[in-house]
Amino acid sequence: VPEQTSYALTPSPFQGVTLVGGGPGDPELLTIAGMRALLGADVVVTDRLGPVSLLPELGDVEVIDVGKTPYGPATSQEEINRILVEKGSAGLSVVRLKGGDNFVFGRGFEEVIDLRDAGVPIRVIPGVSSPIAVPGLGGVPITHRGVSHEFTIVSGHLAPSHPDSLVNWTALAAMSGTIVLMMAVVNGPAIADVLIRHGRAGSTPVAVVVDGSLPTQRVIRTTLADLGAVIAAEDVQPPAIFVIGAVAAL
Amino acid sequence: VPEQTSYALTPSPFQGVTLVGGGPGDPELLTIAGMRALLGADVVVTDRLGPVSLLPELGDVEVIDVGKTPYGPATSQEEINRILVEKGSAGLSVVRLKGGDNFVFGRGFEEVIDLRDAGVPIRVIPGVSSPIAVPGLGGVPITHRGVSHEFTIVSGHLAPSHPDSLVNWTALAAMSGTIVLMMAVVNGPAIADVLIRHGRAGSTPVAVVVDGSLPTQRVIRTTLADLGAVIAAEDVQPPAIFVIGAVAAL
């Protein structure tokens, strides 16, 4: 092993709001740009997920926790946007820190629109996105040569039968590639049912990665037909990522 | 702006092979874990894309360039695997550095299989994946509330008519969410045609982000019907990411 000197990350303040994708949870999966933005922040507006364990180490920074609990109480998106506009308009260096990537079911663009309308400068630093990274950490490749040429990432926040659901489940079931479900602990069983009803084999392999990237990470292998029973038996709690398809058996 | 001390990244050597996702190209979009792995490496086996500009700064490291040119000459995957097994078996700290994330159309799992079979220890450090990060950097949110509850990432490496293509184009065209095409500069026009033939409107917005995250980044807005003409008129060259759907007009 060679002798290498360490590499110093210097603060990168930005007057306005920097959207930082924090990755799945392990602070080491934050990007260099994201860490430098945090080191240069006056204010951090943070969610419940992401690399929250490093926030206490940041020193003299105002941390505003607007974390949402699934289906629980939360700061409204309107209030989050209002806080970002207020702090960003005040000449401060503000970081909007989210788990994963801000634009993957993260409502980041609603924040962008309000900031843009208010004339607040915006900087975007993408993050390691959980639906891609977490399967890899769990030993499941989201693609594999000869197995899939596409993959679909689906929010499971709404039940398939919900009138606001925008997913074409018939088409999704007919796709040949990997399906990754996020935020699907509650609706996973109903989604498995609808995929089977529309033609996916009940024997389709499924991998469930719970607490991806964290010390408590675990991987459960099952099938589409058994997914509901396994979620209950293993007491799967968020955050969890479900990988559906042949890659889940590799 | 507060006074913050800088944050020192120390080398993180690993006897065996560490798969490091390098992100879309800007070295600042490498993860902290990925940078620490590079600082601790004896050998780096690198591709053409990703944060290659930082390799000369690493000091006393053997850099093996196995970069593939699209449709051009390349080190074969078999030869890459052989190099990884040889170096990884020799007690060295080896980093396999790729653009984006190793498991997104990256053949990373083929490397994992050969390393596993050879008994070489493996560490996985996911990266910022280009099909998600690059749209965000280009001002295009891959998801937006009320617009899409899913998105599909498709390799455009093969033409839709190619006998080895695994994509169900009928189903893909019928999906309601965002479609992101990677490696599609050559086949983009044929893919646009097949999506229109299967029912997507020719007026569907498309955003093309070329050289995402690099100083040469540019964004071109067009429609599905005009995509082929725009690729030619704007002389789009790889790497480019195509975002198809309502989000491309936000």
Side-chain angles (χ1 to χ4, degrees), chain A residues 135 138-144 147-148 177-180 203-209 219-224 241-250, chain B residues 109:
Chain A
V140 181
I142 194 166
T143 71
H144 190 56
V147 171
S148 57
T178 309
I179 298 172
V180 182
S203 59
T204 303
V206 178
V208 182
V209 188
V219 181
I220 306 160
R221 308 267 184 165
T222 181
T223 63
L224 211 45
I241 297 282
F242 301 168
V243 186
I244 301 169
V247 293
L250 292 177
Chain B
F109 205 69

Side-chain angles (χ1 to χ4, degrees), chain A residues 71-155:
Chain A
Y71 305 97
T75 308
S76 72
Q77 188 63 48
E78 293 67 29
E79 174 66 6
I80 294 170
N81 291 10
R82 196 197 60 71
I83 293 168
L84 292 174
V85 168
E86 178 194 310
K87 300 288 184 181
S89 303
L92 298 170
S93 179
V94 181
V95 166
R96 173 66 174 120
L97 179 68
K98 289 190 72 85
D101 185 276
N102 302 58
F103 297 126
V104 176
F105 308 123
R107 306 189 66 171
F109 206 69
E110 295 172 65
E111 298 168 2
V112 166
I113 289 170
D114 277 16
L115 290 165
R116 195 194 272 167
D117 289 350
V120 177
I122 302 165
R123 178 171 65 164
V124 171
I125 301 178
V128 169
S129 189
S130 305
I132 289 177
V134 164
L137 289 168
V140 181
I142 194 166
T143 71
H144 190 56
R145 190 161 191 250
V147 171
S148 57
H149 289 163
E150 38 78 12
F151 58 96
T152 303
I153 296 173
V154 183
S155 166

Side-chain angles (χ1 to χ4, degrees), chain B residues 223-241:
Chain B
T223 63
L224 211 45
D226 291 339
L227 182 60
V230 164
I231 289 173
E234 298 277 348
D235 189 28
V236 171
Q237 299 293 334
I241 297 282

Side-chain angles (χ1 to χ4, degrees), chain B residues 161-246:
Chain B
S161 59
H162 194 289
D164 292 342
S165 171
L166 297 172
V167 180
N168 180 338
W169 299 97
T170 312
L172 181 61
M175 299 280 279
S176 65
T178 308
I179 298 172
V180 183
L181 302 181
M182 305 175 65
M183 302 177 282
V185 170
V186 170
N187 293 317
I191 291 171
D193 284 350
V194 81
L195 289 174
I196 291 170
R197 209 160 60 234
H198 286 96
R200 283 265 172 154
S203 59
T204 303
V206 178
V208 182
V209 188
V210 185
D211 288 350
S213 90
L214 299 175
T216 49
Q217 174 180 308
R218 64 191 169 120
V219 182
I220 305 161
R221 307 266 185 165
T222 181
T223 63
L224 211 45
D226 291 339
L227 182 60
V230 164
I231 289 173
E234 298 277 348
D235 189 28
V236 171
Q237 299 293 334
I241 297 282
F242 301 168
V243 186
I244 301 169

Side-chain angles (χ1 to χ4, degrees), chain B residues 102-127:
Chain B
N102 302 58
F103 297 126
V104 175
F105 307 124
R107 306 189 66 171
F109 205 69
E110 293 171 67
E111 298 168 2
V112 166
I113 289 169
D114 277 16
L115 290 165
R116 195 194 272 167
D117 288 351
V120 178
I122 302 164
R123 178 171 65 163
V124 171
I125 300 178

Side-chain angles (χ1 to χ4, degrees), chain B:
Chain B
V1 172
E3 298 293 327
Q4 295 280 1
T5 52
S6 72
Y7 183 92
L9 299 188
T10 53
S12 161
F14 174 82
Q15 277 201 4
V17 174
T18 303
L19 304 184
V20 173
D26 178 353
E28 294 253 323
L29 294 180
L30 186 62
T31 61
I32 290 173
M35 186 67 197
R36 294 185 61 212
L38 282 173
L39 291 171
D42 299 304
V43 181
V44 177
V45 180
T46 184
D47 275 10
R48 191 179 54 90
L49 298 177
V52 293
S53 66
L54 60 74
L55 293 176
E57 298 172 31
L58 287 179
D60 189 23
V61 175
E62 180 187 6
V63 175
I64 302 175
D65 183 353
V66 295
K68 293 176 184 166
T69 312
Y71 304 97
T75 309
S76 72
Q77 188 63 48
E78 293 65 31
E79 176 66 5
I80 294 170
N81 291 10
R82 196 198 59 71
I83 293 168
L84 292 174
V85 168
E86 179 194 311
K87 300 288 184 181
S89 303
L92 297 170
S93 179
V94 181
V95 165
R96 173 66 174 118
L97 179 67
K98 289 191 72 85
D101 185 277
N102 302 58
F103 297 126
V104 175
F105 307 124
R107 306 189 66 171
F109 205 69
E110 293 171 67
E111 298 168 2
V112 166
I113 289 169
D114 277 16
L115 290 165
R116 195 194 272 167
D117 288 351
V120 178
I122 302 164
R123 178 171 65 163
V124 171
I125 300 178
V128 169
S129 189
S130 305
I132 289 177
V134 165
L137 288 168
V140 181
I142 195 166
T143 71
H144 190 57
R145 189 159 193 250
V147 172
S148 57
H149 290 163
E150 38 78 13
F151 58 96
T152 302
I153 295 173
V154 183
S155 166
H157 186 70
L158 294 182
S161 59
H162 194 289
D164 292 342
S165 171
L166 297 172
V167 180
N168 180 338
W169 299 97
T170 312
L172 181 61
M175 299 280 279
S176 65
T178 308
I179 298 172
V180 183
L181 302 181
M182 305 175 65
M183 302 177 282
V185 170
V186 170
N187 293 317
I191 291 171
D193 284 350
V194 81
L195 289 174
I196 291 170
R197 209 160 60 234
H198 286 96
R200 283 265 172 154
S203 59
T204 303
V206 178
V208 182
V209 188
V210 185
D211 288 350
S213 90
L214 299 175
T216 49
Q217 174 180 308
R218 64 191 169 120
V219 182
I220 305 161
R221 307 266 185 165
T222 181
T223 63
L224 211 45
D226 291 339
L227 182 60
V230 164
I231 289 173
E234 298 277 348
D235 189 28
V236 171
Q237 299 293 334
I241 297 282
F242 301 168
V243 186
I244 301 169
V247 294
L250 291 178

